[in-house]
Amino acid sequence: MSYDKIIIGAGLYGLYAADFCAQKGEKVLVLEYDKAPFMRATYINQARVHMGYHYPRSISTATKSAHYFDRFNEDYGFCVHTRFEQIYATSAAFSWTDAGQFKKFCCNSNIYCDEVSVDKYFNNGMCDGAFVTKEYTYDAQILKQYFLDRLKKHPNVTIEYGIRIQKIVQKISHFDVYLQDGTIYTTDFLVNATYASSNQILSLVKDGDENSKNYEPFKIKYELCEIILCEISENFKNVGITVMDGPFFSIMPFGKTGYHSLTAVTFTPHVTSYDSLPQFECQKKAENYCSPGQLGNCNDCPAKPQSAWPYMSQMARKYLKKDYEFKYKESLFSMKPILQASEIDDSRPTVIKKLSDNPVLISILSGKINTVYDLDEVL
């Protein structure tokens, strides 16, 4: 069966692309590995709608985030949690950025920050500056339902779940996508929106003689990450805290769920791989659930790691006043790909590669929810 566009991956970037193309009247197929959309990184993350504060050492990432901030909130405000005070603080020790540098960065980036007393939130001597900022969080489940409802209205869009792709054969004018069940789909415009599985999909592309096309993979550092959901005290419900820029932590509203997410730079990543196709010890214990060539869903994996709650919570309590109470609810795990070049300045660029012109092959790697609009031009 032939489609104008085939999109691999039903996270935000995949469903946004499907909706964008559907509105143009194109016949679209979305292929998703999991049993439902938004089961990985779109849901399992800090849920920040970034304004750029997180990147004082990468002005390009900061300005790109801020550029789309208002547009995202205008388009998807129904799923955005805005009614809390988002505090950014700079640690008095082991920080890449001090309070003065953070203020200067915000001024240069033209993003709002207002200094507040450090003593309001933090234990004595722990931070050298604290600032009220303008940053929100989104609720992935509400956003997912919005896109599903929109796509249901388009008879020209099909979404298939539980898909296993065997190979992708590139012909002169089109791609044939072969599934393990024997189904073959055809398109002249293929979008790889799988995020952590981007290189896995590229490795499946072959020419008509079954030779690998050898498209250059993203140079990625893979991190198996844990996001902890917390129940918090009443005085904490309308506050989010991020201590940065270094080996610190964030505890902030997780969309509109009523929980806070807890992460820590040192402890959120459990294991790391620098291989083009990620290799982890846990894959050997997962009973064929996950492999370098087919990444399983870490959140459902039988070999997922033990929680780093003792270490994350200890760090947060070291900084926060005892009045701000939080306790463990549950852990969420997902694979996070980071461009190796970003380790230098902690940048998080949105990278969209056009690997082939005829037929078209687009591969996307982006960890920022509000830079999804970068897709418009290539679609």
Side-chain angles (χ1 to χ4, degrees):
M1 189 175 296
S2 181
Y3 291 86
D4 294 319
K5 287 188 173 69
I6 294 179
I7 299 162
I8 306 175
L12 174 63
Y13 278 71
L15 294 194
Y16 177 89
D19 184 50
F20 185 93
C21 296
Q23 292 182 61
K24 297 192 294 178
E26 295 176 345
K27 186 180 179 182
V28 179
L29 173 65
V30 180
L31 301 176
E32 169 56 42
Y33 186 97
D34 288 328
K35 61 186 178 182
F38 282 35
M39 287 190 67
R40 303 199 189 197
T42 300
Y43 169 57
I44 303 173
N45 64 79
Q46 291 179 318
R48 291 182 195 269
V49 182
H50 278 272
M51 184 62 139
Y53 301 102
H54 221 54
Y55 304 101
R57 289 181 285 122
S58 176
I59 194 73
S60 61
T61 304
T63 53
K64 174 61 76 67
S65 299
H67 174 68
Y68 288 134
F69 180 82
D70 288 335
R71 180 178 173 183
F72 185 91
N73 289 307
E74 182 177 341
D75 289 348
Y76 308 113
F78 54 85
C79 75
V80 178
H81 180 23
T82 63
R83 296 183 178 179
F84 68 98
E85 193 168 66
Q86 180 72 314
I87 302 297
Y88 272 79
T90 49
S91 179
F94 308 112
S95 180
W96 290 99
T97 305
D98 62 27
Q101 291 169 326
F102 183 74
K103 287 171 63 177
K104 184 177 180 180
F105 157 73
C106 290
C107 180
N108 290 341
S109 301
N110 196 29
I111 54 179
Y112 169 81
C113 82
D114 188 16
E115 198 161 6
V116 296
S117 173
V118 172
D119 297 338
K120 183 175 181 181
Y121 300 103
F122 302 103
N123 291 323
N124 186 41
M126 296 306 299
C127 293
D128 70 351
F131 306 86
V132 177
T133 62
K134 185 181 179 182
E135 191 174 68
Y136 307 141
T137 64
Y138 73 96
D139 195 303
Q141 299 304 324
I142 297 174
L143 187 58
K144 175 185 75 174
Q145 195 57 53
Y146 166 80
F147 275 104
L148 289 178
D149 290 343
R150 283 182 64 87
L151 292 172
K152 282 179 183 176
K153 299 175 183 177
H154 294 289
N156 50 325
V157 176
T158 302
I159 307 177
E160 295 194 3
Y161 302 108
I163 294 300
R164 300 294 181 268
I165 298 174
Q166 182 182 56
K167 63 182 178 180
I168 301 169
V169 178
Q170 183 170 345
K171 302 291 184 64
I172 294 175
S173 62
H174 65 274
F175 293 97
D176 288 331
V177 180
Y178 289 75
L179 306 188
Q180 289 182 2
D181 66 5
T183 305
I184 303 173
Y185 294 118
T186 298
T187 187
D188 61 6
F189 199 119
L190 186 63
V191 180
N192 176 12
T194 56
Y195 192 48
S197 295
S198 293
N199 285 349
Q200 284 77 11
I201 295 300
L202 294 181
S203 73
L204 296 176
V205 182
K206 305 179 183 301
D207 63 22
D209 296 321
E210 297 293 311
N211 298 311
S212 174
K213 289 293 289 185
N214 293 319
Y215 283 120
E216 183 180 2
F218 290 101
K219 293 181 179 179
I220 290 172
K221 175 179 76 171
Y222 296 88
E223 294 181 338
L224 197 173
C225 291
E226 177 186 14
I227 307 291
I228 295 178
L229 299 187
C230 302
E231 296 176 340
I232 69 297
S233 56
E234 190 65 31
N235 65 331
F236 210 166
K237 287 187 176 180
N238 296 319
V239 180
I241 301 286
T242 296
V243 177
M244 44 75 68
D245 165 37
F248 307 122
F249 73 98
S250 291
I251 182 165
M252 51 191 283
F254 189 62
K256 296 186 176 185
T257 64
Y259 300 118
H260 272 42
S261 66
L262 173 63
T263 57
V265 172
T266 304
F267 304 115
T268 286
H270 280 258
V271 290
T272 301
S273 172
Y274 286 88
D275 298 297
S276 176
L277 300 180
Q279 300 188 55
F280 297 102
E281 284 298 314
C282 54
Q283 291 169 338
K284 301 174 184 177
K285 306 173 185 177
E287 301 176 354
N288 298 318
Y289 179 79
C290 178
S291 70
Q294 293 273 355
L295 278 178
N297 189 322
C298 296
N299 204 46
D300 296 331
C301 180
K304 62 188 175 186
Q306 289 188 334
S307 175
W309 162 255
Y311 310 105
M312 289 198 217
S313 58
Q314 183 180 25
M315 171 171 282
R317 289 187 171 117
K318 177 182 175 182
Y319 278 85
L320 291 172
K321 286 195 165 183
K322 291 183 179 180
D323 296 344
Y324 299 98
E325 299 175 2
F326 57 98
K327 62 181 181 179
Y328 181 88
K329 171 65 178 176
E330 65 175 304
S331 294
L332 304 174
F333 293 91
S334 70
M335 191 64 65
K336 180 179 181 181
I338 299 171
L339 288 172
Q340 292 181 20
S342 296
E343 293 189 89
I344 299 171
D345 59 3
D346 200 36
S347 62
R348 293 295 183 270
T350 295
V351 179
I352 301 176
K353 290 184 177 181
K354 191 173 186 180
L355 299 171
S356 174
D357 286 306
N358 186 25
V360 176
L361 173 58
I362 302 292
S363 198
I364 305 154
L365 191 73
S366 177
K368 293 288 153 287
I369 208 77
N370 43 316
T371 55
V372 68
Y373 300 108
D374 280 347
L375 287 179
D376 293 6
E377 183 177 351
V378 298
L379 294 175

